[in-house]
Amino acid sequence: MAHPSQLGFQDAASPIMEELLHLHDHAMMVVFLISIFVLYIITLMITTSLTHTSTMDAQAVETIWTILPAIILILIALPSLRILYLMDEINDPHLTIKTIGHQWYWSYEYTDYEGLMFDAYMVQTQELPEGTPRLLETDHHMVVPTDSPTRMLISAEDVLHSWAVPALGIKTDAIPGRLNQTTFTTSHPGLFYGQCSEICGSNHSFMPIVIESSTLNSFETWSNLMLEP
Amino acid sequence: MQNFSAASVNFSQTRKQKGEYTTAPFDPRFPNTNQTRNCYQNYLDYHRCTKALAAKGKDTKLCDWYRRVFTSLCPVSWVKRWDEQREQGTFAGKI
Protein backbone atom coordinates (compact mmCIF):
# COMPACT_ATOMS: atom_id res chain seq x y z
CA MET A 1 0.00 0.00 0.00
CA ALA A 2 0.97 3.65 -0.19
CA HIS A 3 3.21 5.16 2.49
CA PRO A 4 3.87 8.81 3.45
CA SER A 5 7.30 9.25 1.83
CA GLN A 6 6.33 7.44 -1.36
CA LEU A 7 7.54 8.96 -4.61
CA GLY A 8 6.62 6.36 -7.23
CA PHE A 9 3.79 3.88 -7.70
CA GLN A 10 2.66 1.20 -5.30
CA ASP A 11 4.04 -2.30 -5.83
CA ALA A 12 2.19 -4.14 -8.57
CA ALA A 13 -0.32 -6.77 -7.47
CA SER A 14 -1.56 -7.73 -10.93
CA PRO A 15 0.11 -8.50 -14.27
CA ILE A 16 -1.44 -5.39 -15.84
CA MET A 17 0.01 -3.14 -13.15
CA GLU A 18 3.38 -4.80 -13.73
CA GLU A 19 3.14 -3.83 -17.39
CA LEU A 20 2.10 -0.28 -16.49
CA LEU A 21 5.10 0.10 -14.20
CA HIS A 22 7.41 -1.03 -16.99
CA LEU A 23 5.87 1.47 -19.39
CA HIS A 24 6.28 4.21 -16.78
CA ASP A 25 9.95 3.34 -16.24
CA HIS A 26 10.52 3.20 -20.00
CA ALA A 27 8.90 6.60 -20.58
CA MET A 28 10.84 8.06 -17.65
CA MET A 29 14.14 6.90 -19.19
CA VAL A 30 13.26 8.69 -22.43
CA VAL A 31 12.26 11.83 -20.49
CA PHE A 32 15.55 11.84 -18.55
CA LEU A 33 17.66 11.32 -21.68
CA ILE A 34 15.92 14.19 -23.51
CA SER A 35 16.10 16.50 -20.47
CA ILE A 36 19.81 15.85 -19.96
CA PHE A 37 20.52 16.38 -23.66
CA VAL A 38 18.54 19.66 -23.75
CA LEU A 39 20.20 20.94 -20.55
CA TYR A 40 23.60 20.08 -22.02
CA ILE A 41 22.82 22.01 -25.24
CA ILE A 42 21.54 25.01 -23.24
CA THR A 43 24.68 25.20 -21.07
CA LEU A 44 26.78 24.80 -24.19
CA MET A 45 25.04 27.67 -25.93
CA ILE A 46 25.11 30.14 -23.05
CA THR A 47 28.77 29.49 -22.21
CA THR A 48 30.20 29.97 -25.69
CA SER A 49 30.95 33.16 -27.59
CA LEU A 50 30.61 31.35 -30.93
CA THR A 51 27.10 31.76 -32.37
CA HIS A 52 25.57 30.87 -35.70
CA THR A 53 23.52 33.86 -36.80
CA SER A 54 23.24 33.10 -40.49
CA THR A 55 22.69 29.33 -40.73
CA MET A 56 20.48 28.61 -43.76
CA ASP A 57 19.44 25.47 -45.65
CA ALA A 58 20.91 23.06 -43.10
CA GLN A 59 19.10 20.07 -44.61
CA ALA A 60 21.00 17.39 -42.71
CA VAL A 61 20.28 18.71 -39.23
CA GLU A 62 16.65 19.50 -40.18
CA THR A 63 16.13 15.91 -41.28
CA ILE A 64 17.69 14.49 -38.11
CA TRP A 65 15.67 16.63 -35.70
CA THR A 66 12.47 15.69 -37.48
CA ILE A 67 13.02 11.95 -37.82
CA LEU A 68 14.58 11.36 -34.40
CA PRO A 69 11.69 12.78 -32.31
CA ALA A 70 9.25 10.85 -34.50
CA ILE A 71 11.09 7.60 -33.75
CA ILE A 72 11.17 8.43 -30.03
CA LEU A 73 7.41 9.09 -30.03
CA ILE A 74 6.72 5.78 -31.77
CA LEU A 75 8.92 3.99 -29.22
CA ILE A 76 6.65 5.35 -26.47
CA ALA A 77 3.34 5.04 -28.30
CA LEU A 78 3.62 1.39 -29.36
CA PRO A 79 4.16 -0.11 -25.86
CA SER A 80 1.44 2.22 -24.59
CA LEU A 81 -1.07 0.95 -27.17
CA ARG A 82 -0.06 -2.62 -26.41
CA ILE A 83 -1.03 -2.22 -22.74
CA LEU A 84 -4.20 -0.34 -23.68
CA TYR A 85 -5.45 -3.32 -25.68
CA LEU A 86 -4.13 -5.78 -23.10
CA MET A 87 -6.33 -4.13 -20.48
CA ASP A 88 -9.36 -4.58 -22.72
CA GLU A 89 -8.87 -8.33 -22.96
CA ILE A 90 -11.40 -10.50 -21.17
CA ASN A 91 -10.01 -13.97 -20.48
CA ASP A 92 -13.03 -16.03 -19.46
CA PRO A 93 -13.55 -14.66 -15.97
CA HIS A 94 -13.95 -17.14 -13.10
CA LEU A 95 -16.33 -14.95 -11.21
CA THR A 96 -18.20 -11.70 -11.52
CA ILE A 97 -18.32 -9.14 -8.74
CA LYS A 98 -20.52 -6.09 -8.90
CA THR A 99 -19.81 -2.95 -6.97
CA ILE A 100 -22.29 -0.15 -6.65
CA GLY A 101 -21.26 3.31 -5.48
CA HIS A 102 -23.53 5.02 -2.98
CA GLN A 103 -23.29 8.26 -1.04
CA TRP A 104 -21.01 7.34 0.74
CA TYR A 105 -20.09 3.70 0.69
CA TRP A 106 -19.53 0.88 -1.78
CA SER A 107 -21.82 -2.12 -1.87
CA TYR A 108 -20.72 -5.44 -3.33
CA GLU A 109 -22.78 -8.15 -4.98
CA TYR A 110 -21.51 -11.68 -5.61
CA THR A 111 -24.60 -12.97 -7.42
CA ASP A 112 -22.67 -16.01 -8.67
CA TYR A 113 -22.84 -17.02 -5.00
CA GLU A 114 -26.56 -17.00 -4.27
CA GLY A 115 -27.37 -13.74 -2.53
CA LEU A 116 -23.92 -12.78 -1.29
CA MET A 117 -24.21 -9.02 -0.86
CA PHE A 118 -22.83 -6.54 1.62
CA ASP A 119 -22.07 -2.87 2.14
CA ALA A 120 -18.52 -1.74 2.92
CA TYR A 121 -18.33 1.33 5.17
CA MET A 122 -15.16 3.01 6.31
CA VAL A 123 -14.08 2.18 9.87
CA GLN A 124 -14.19 5.36 11.95
CA THR A 125 -10.87 6.45 13.49
CA GLN A 126 -12.01 5.93 17.10
CA GLU A 127 -13.03 2.33 16.29
CA LEU A 128 -9.92 1.51 14.26
CA PRO A 129 -8.17 -1.73 15.33
CA GLU A 130 -4.44 -1.50 16.07
CA GLY A 131 -2.28 -1.65 12.96
CA THR A 132 -4.93 -0.89 10.35
CA PRO A 133 -4.61 2.17 8.12
CA ARG A 134 -6.73 5.18 9.04
CA LEU A 135 -9.34 6.32 6.48
CA LEU A 136 -8.60 3.24 4.33
CA GLU A 137 -10.02 0.33 6.33
CA THR A 138 -13.58 -0.87 5.71
CA ASP A 139 -15.84 -3.04 7.85
CA HIS A 140 -16.11 -5.63 5.05
CA HIS A 141 -13.37 -6.54 2.60
CA MET A 142 -14.03 -7.49 -1.00
CA VAL A 143 -12.48 -10.98 -0.97
CA VAL A 144 -11.21 -12.49 -4.21
CA PRO A 145 -9.31 -15.70 -4.94
CA THR A 146 -5.66 -15.14 -5.93
CA ASP A 147 -4.74 -15.81 -9.57
CA SER A 148 -8.38 -15.91 -10.70
CA PRO A 149 -9.44 -13.69 -13.59
CA THR A 150 -12.24 -11.62 -12.07
CA ARG A 151 -14.80 -9.47 -13.87
CA MET A 152 -15.72 -6.28 -12.05
CA LEU A 153 -18.95 -4.56 -12.98
CA ILE A 154 -19.14 -1.05 -11.66
CA SER A 155 -22.17 1.17 -11.36
CA ALA A 156 -23.63 3.81 -9.05
CA GLU A 157 -26.97 4.37 -7.42
CA ASP A 158 -26.99 8.13 -6.93
CA VAL A 159 -24.14 10.30 -8.30
CA LEU A 160 -20.86 9.67 -10.12
CA HIS A 161 -18.25 7.70 -8.21
CA SER A 162 -15.06 6.01 -9.35
CA TRP A 163 -13.77 2.64 -8.21
CA ALA A 164 -9.98 2.70 -8.11
CA VAL A 165 -7.31 0.32 -6.77
CA PRO A 166 -3.81 1.58 -7.69
CA ALA A 167 -1.99 -1.67 -6.85
CA LEU A 168 -4.10 -3.50 -9.44
CA GLY A 169 -3.97 -0.72 -12.02
CA ILE A 170 -7.74 -0.24 -12.04
CA LYS A 171 -9.81 2.91 -12.15
CA THR A 172 -13.32 2.76 -13.54
CA ASP A 173 -16.07 5.35 -13.27
CA ALA A 174 -19.27 4.35 -11.51
CA ILE A 175 -22.13 5.93 -13.40
CA PRO A 176 -25.83 5.72 -12.44
CA GLY A 177 -27.79 3.70 -15.01
CA ARG A 178 -24.69 2.31 -16.69
CA LEU A 179 -22.64 -0.83 -16.06
CA ASN A 180 -18.91 -0.52 -16.64
CA GLN A 181 -16.76 -3.61 -16.93
CA THR A 182 -13.14 -4.15 -16.06
CA THR A 183 -11.09 -7.24 -15.28
CA PHE A 184 -8.20 -8.01 -13.00
CA THR A 185 -6.16 -10.92 -11.70
CA THR A 186 -4.35 -10.58 -8.40
CA SER A 187 -0.90 -12.12 -8.63
CA HIS A 188 -0.35 -12.67 -4.91
CA PRO A 189 -2.38 -12.70 -1.69
CA GLY A 190 -2.70 -9.51 0.31
CA LEU A 191 -4.76 -6.43 1.12
CA PHE A 192 -5.00 -3.79 -1.59
CA TYR A 193 -6.42 -0.40 -0.77
CA GLY A 194 -8.17 2.15 -2.94
CA GLN A 195 -10.41 5.17 -2.67
CA CYS A 196 -13.32 6.74 -4.48
CA SER A 197 -11.78 8.78 -7.29
CA GLU A 198 -14.60 11.00 -8.48
CA ILE A 199 -15.81 13.87 -6.32
CA CYS A 200 -19.17 12.59 -5.10
CA GLY A 201 -20.12 14.79 -2.17
CA SER A 202 -19.09 15.68 1.36
CA ASN A 203 -17.89 12.19 2.35
CA HIS A 204 -16.09 11.48 -0.90
CA SER A 205 -12.82 10.95 0.98
CA PHE A 206 -14.41 8.52 3.41
CA MET A 207 -15.56 5.66 1.17
CA PRO A 208 -12.41 3.55 0.74
CA ILE A 209 -12.06 0.22 -1.05
CA VAL A 210 -10.30 -2.83 0.39
CA ILE A 211 -9.59 -5.91 -1.70
CA GLU A 212 -8.50 -9.00 0.16
CA SER A 213 -6.83 -11.50 -2.13
CA SER A 214 -6.57 -14.96 -0.58
CA THR A 215 -6.41 -18.61 -1.59
CA LEU A 216 -9.38 -20.31 -3.23
CA ASN A 217 -10.05 -22.32 -0.07
CA SER A 218 -10.09 -19.22 2.13
CA PHE A 219 -12.35 -17.52 -0.39
CA GLU A 220 -14.76 -20.48 -0.26
CA THR A 221 -14.74 -20.46 3.53
CA TRP A 222 -15.39 -16.73 3.54
CA SER A 223 -18.25 -16.94 1.03
CA ASN A 224 -19.90 -19.76 3.00
CA LEU A 225 -19.54 -17.79 6.24
CA MET A 226 -21.04 -14.70 4.61
CA LEU A 227 -23.99 -16.74 3.31
CA GLU A 228 -24.81 -18.42 6.62
CA PRO A 229 -27.66 -16.64 8.36
CA MET B 1 -20.84 -32.81 -7.52
CA GLN B 2 -23.71 -32.34 -5.13
CA ASN B 3 -27.31 -31.62 -5.90
CA PHE B 4 -29.12 -29.13 -3.77
CA SER B 5 -32.73 -28.08 -3.86
CA ALA B 6 -33.82 -24.54 -3.31
CA ALA B 7 -36.29 -25.64 -0.60
CA SER B 8 -33.74 -26.48 2.08
CA VAL B 9 -30.44 -24.96 1.14
CA ASN B 10 -27.66 -26.01 3.45
CA PHE B 11 -24.99 -23.52 2.58
CA SER B 12 -22.10 -25.69 3.71
CA GLN B 13 -23.19 -28.15 1.01
CA THR B 14 -23.16 -25.52 -1.73
CA ARG B 15 -19.36 -25.43 -1.62
CA LYS B 16 -18.29 -25.47 -5.23
CA GLN B 17 -15.83 -27.93 -6.69
CA LYS B 18 -12.69 -26.72 -8.44
CA GLY B 19 -13.40 -25.90 -12.08
CA GLU B 20 -17.06 -25.32 -11.30
CA TYR B 21 -16.72 -21.57 -11.23
CA THR B 22 -19.08 -20.58 -13.98
CA THR B 23 -20.07 -17.00 -14.53
CA ALA B 24 -21.37 -15.25 -17.63
CA PRO B 25 -18.75 -15.81 -20.33
CA PHE B 26 -17.47 -13.21 -22.78
CA ASP B 27 -20.21 -12.19 -25.22
CA PRO B 28 -18.95 -10.95 -28.61
CA ARG B 29 -22.10 -8.84 -29.01
CA PHE B 30 -20.89 -6.69 -26.10
CA PRO B 31 -17.12 -6.39 -26.39
CA ASN B 32 -16.90 -2.93 -24.82
CA THR B 33 -16.56 -1.56 -21.32
CA ASN B 34 -20.24 -0.64 -21.33
CA GLN B 35 -22.15 -3.78 -20.31
CA THR B 36 -25.51 -2.10 -19.62
CA ARG B 37 -27.06 -3.55 -22.77
CA ASN B 38 -25.63 -7.01 -22.07
CA CYS B 39 -27.49 -7.14 -18.76
CA TYR B 40 -30.72 -5.71 -20.20
CA GLN B 41 -30.74 -7.93 -23.29
CA ASN B 42 -30.33 -11.09 -21.23
CA TYR B 43 -33.09 -9.98 -18.87
CA LEU B 44 -35.38 -9.42 -21.87
CA ASP B 45 -34.34 -12.71 -23.50
CA TYR B 46 -35.09 -14.65 -20.34
CA HIS B 47 -38.60 -13.29 -20.05
CA ARG B 48 -39.28 -13.61 -23.78
CA CYS B 49 -38.04 -17.19 -23.65
CA THR B 50 -40.18 -18.20 -20.66
CA LYS B 51 -43.22 -16.47 -22.18
CA ALA B 52 -42.79 -18.18 -25.54
CA LEU B 53 -42.11 -21.62 -24.11
CA ALA B 54 -44.89 -21.37 -21.54
CA ALA B 55 -47.32 -20.41 -24.29
CA LYS B 56 -46.42 -23.62 -26.12
CA GLY B 57 -46.68 -25.56 -22.89
CA LYS B 58 -43.01 -26.52 -22.98
CA ASP B 59 -40.52 -26.77 -20.14
CA THR B 60 -38.97 -23.36 -19.44
CA LYS B 61 -35.79 -24.93 -18.06
CA LEU B 62 -34.09 -24.09 -21.36
CA CYS B 63 -34.31 -20.40 -20.46
CA ASP B 64 -32.25 -20.82 -17.31
CA TRP B 65 -29.08 -19.85 -19.16
CA TYR B 66 -30.35 -16.31 -19.72
CA ARG B 67 -31.33 -16.07 -16.08
CA ARG B 68 -27.86 -17.25 -15.11
CA VAL B 69 -26.27 -14.55 -17.27
CA PHE B 70 -28.48 -11.67 -16.22
CA THR B 71 -28.23 -12.49 -12.52
CA SER B 72 -24.46 -12.53 -12.99
CA LEU B 73 -24.43 -9.17 -14.73
CA CYS B 74 -27.34 -7.04 -13.54
CA PRO B 75 -27.21 -5.15 -10.25
CA VAL B 76 -29.82 -6.56 -7.87
CA SER B 77 -31.56 -3.19 -7.59
CA TRP B 78 -32.08 -3.04 -11.38
CA VAL B 79 -33.64 -6.52 -11.52
CA LYS B 80 -35.87 -5.65 -8.57
CA ARG B 81 -37.03 -2.45 -10.27
CA TRP B 82 -37.72 -4.19 -13.59
CA ASP B 83 -39.61 -7.02 -11.86
CA GLU B 84 -41.81 -4.47 -10.12
CA GLN B 85 -42.42 -2.66 -13.40
CA ARG B 86 -43.38 -5.92 -15.12
CA GLU B 87 -45.84 -6.68 -12.34
CA GLN B 88 -47.40 -3.24 -12.69
CA GLY B 89 -47.35 -3.46 -16.49
CA THR B 90 -45.14 -0.39 -16.82
CA PHE B 91 -42.01 -2.18 -18.06
CA ALA B 92 -40.69 -0.41 -21.15
CA GLY B 93 -39.18 -3.46 -22.88
CA LYS B 94 -41.11 -5.65 -25.30
CA ILE B 95 -41.56 -9.09 -23.81
Side-chain angles (χ1 to χ4, degrees), chain A residues 93-97 110 112-113 143-145 148-152 219, chain B residues 21-23:
Chain A
H94 288 184
L95 87 152
T96 304
I97 306 172
Y110 291 64
D112 291 336
Y113 287 77
V143 183
V144 291
S148 284
T150 308
R151 173 200 278 133
M152 278 308 297
F219 172 76
Chain B
Y21 294 84
T22 45
T23 187

Side-chain angles (χ1 to χ4, degrees), chain A residues 114 220-229, chain B residues 2-4 8-17:
Chain A
E114 319 264 331
E220 282 295 322
T221 314
W222 170 81
S223 64
N224 284 324
L225 274 175
M226 289 294 280
L227 280 168
E228 266 162 30
Chain B
Q2 295 149 327
N3 285 320
F4 51 90
S8 60
V9 179
N10 182 356
F11 285 115
S12 58
Q13 284 177 1
T14 63
R15 176 176 286 254
K16 292 186 181 178
Q17 303 295 310

Side-chain angles (χ1 to χ4, degrees), chain A residues 96 98 111-112 179 181 220, chain B residues 21 23-24 33 35 71-72 74:
Chain A
T96 304
K98 279 164 281 182
T111 36
D112 291 336
L179 260 188
Q181 175 179 258
E220 282 295 322
Chain B
Y21 294 84
T23 187
T33 302
Q35 294 291 308
T71 44
S72 261
C74 297

